[in-house]
Amino acid sequence: DTAVSQTPKYLVTQMGNDKSIKCEQNLGHDTMYWYKQDSKKFLKIMFSYNNKELIINETVPNRFSPKSPDKAHLNLHINSLELGDSAVYFCASSQHGQRSSGANVLTFGAGSRLTVL
Amino acid sequence: DAKTTQPNSMESNEEEPVHLPCNHSTISGTDYIHWYRQLPSQGPEYVIHGLTSNVNNRMASLAIAEDRKSSTLILHRATLRDAAVYYCILRDVQNTDKLIFGTGTRLQVFP
């Protein structure tokens, strides 16, 4: 079984549309994250949730809305898609959340490639 | 956030040892040093981490300088599968406990 799974793996859509990317982890972890990797391969954290509570929000536009129905799921909904949203989005999870041990290790999903035309 | 500096790229031949350096001169006393790698078309993968002492696991070894201002990830025998981008990251647990990725080192392994 995949530890952190994301769907869809590929998503091609038009500007202005609304889309969602789903993430599930079966590791029993408390914290989940969304990272964005742009065309220059730079990985940047967007959000983190600990037990369904938003912990980190890295000045991401309001068009991006994470939703965590339970601690095993963190979905990313994007409204009014723009060309600049094209990227690979990675979901990750870890055992501990904020102010935890520095040994906290993240497990990443395989990524969801979003292309906005 | 404390930053790390890594070479943009390195090359190695298969079955040779690889030493990937990382400078982190502004590291604080509570920052852990983490290494992740990203294989082509995959998500980042944890490799190893340490605080002050050298560390070994099945994937690699981590050598940490005595003043902690630099560290080296050691792959003892590089394989073609080790070709990836390697990220050296400081874990800022005093503040927001998040991983901040830099540009990393792209390792090429030749047969």
Side-chain angles (χ1 to χ4, degrees), chain A residues 4-6 22-25 32-35 73-74 89-93 107-112:
Chain A
V4 180
S5 58
Q6 303 178 220
K22 296 185 177 182
C23 180
E24 177 182 4
Q25 55 96 1
M32 296 185 70
Y33 310 79
W34 278 107
Y35 278 79
H73 296 82
L74 181 61
Y89 292 85
F90 289 100
C91 178
S93 70
T107 301
F108 283 82
S112 296

Side-chain angles (χ1 to χ4, degrees), chain B residues 1-110:
Chain B
D1 295 319
K3 293 199 179 343
T4 63
T5 305
Q6 299 176 252
N8 287 335
S9 63
M10 291 187 64
E11 297 178 353
S12 174
N13 292 320
E14 210 174 2
E15 299 193 3
E16 288 184 354
V18 180
H19 290 231
L20 297 165
C22 180
N23 287 322
H24 29 77
S25 57
T26 59
I27 190 170
S28 73
T30 54
D31 283 340
Y32 277 71
I33 301 159
H34 284 245
W35 283 82
Y36 282 71
R37 71 180 185 180
Q38 188 173 19
L39 278 64
S41 301
Q42 293 189 30
E45 172 188 31
Y46 166 78
V47 177
I48 200 166
H49 75 276
L51 184 60
T52 56
S53 304
N54 294 345
V55 184
N56 299 301
N57 67 19
R58 62 174 181 82
M59 290 181 72
S61 295
L62 177 60
I64 301 173
E66 199 168 326
D67 63 4
R68 300 207 329 125
K69 294 187 177 183
S70 65
S71 60
T72 302
L73 180 70
I74 303 166
L75 306 179
H76 295 286
R77 291 183 66 190
T79 69
L80 296 177
R81 197 192 169 279
D82 291 322
V85 179
Y86 286 79
Y87 297 97
C88 170
I89 303 165
L90 298 184
R91 195 66 194 263
D92 183 12
V93 296
Q94 287 297 94
N95 295 310
T96 54
D97 194 24
K98 60 188 178 186
L99 281 181
I100 299 176
F101 286 80
T103 53
T105 297
R106 180 172 297 280
L107 175 66
Q108 288 183 284
V109 180
F110 298 104

